[in-house]
Amino acid sequence: MRLVATDWLASSHHGRGIMSAAFRTVMTEWAIPRMNVRDMRVEVYVDNVASTRVFEKFGFVEERNADDVVTTNTGVVWHGVRLLRWRRT
């Protein structure tokens, strides 16, 4: 199954651990126990270090970087996507 989700947090709330706590709750309270998720891949814009760190805290490891150019719905252009993977042990 493929699920596409986007996360975003207002800059006024950055650096407070909010997204890390929210993601951990989604994984431990829903994805793993209710959906039996065993393997997950996420994509993060290469320059978005904070989002990468959210996933790394949960045990995601980088698989590779893709040179894709992505334009968001607000017109922001991102060069490169980092692919991270988590596998349940």
Side-chain angles (χ1 to χ4, degrees):
M1 174 183 4
R2 180 178 169 99
L3 172 68
V4 177
T6 303
D7 62 44
W8 181 84
L9 188 65
S11 59
S12 60
H13 291 74
H14 289 181
R16 298 181 182 183
I18 295 168
M19 193 58 74
S20 293
F23 182 72
R24 181 170 301 283
T25 299
V26 166
M27 290 297 287
T28 61
E29 301 295 324
W30 178 74
I32 295 170
R34 296 186 183 173
M35 299 299 293
N36 199 29
V37 171
R38 296 174 184 266
D39 185 27
M40 183 182 289
R41 190 188 91 189
V42 298
E43 299 173 0
V44 179
Y45 299 123
V46 170
D47 294 335
N48 193 337
V49 176
S51 286
T52 298
R53 186 69 189 118
V54 166
F55 295 112
E56 288 174 340
K57 287 178 188 176
F58 197 81
F60 281 75
V61 293
E62 185 174 317
E63 281 194 327
R64 66 183 178 92
N65 287 338
D67 294 329
D68 299 347
V69 175
V70 178
T71 303
T72 67
N73 58 356
T74 60
V76 176
V77 177
W78 291 87
H79 297 274
V81 177
R82 179 174 285 128
L83 305 174
L84 300 139
R85 175 151 289 191
W86 172 84
R87 288 190 173 101
R88 186 173 171 188
T89 53

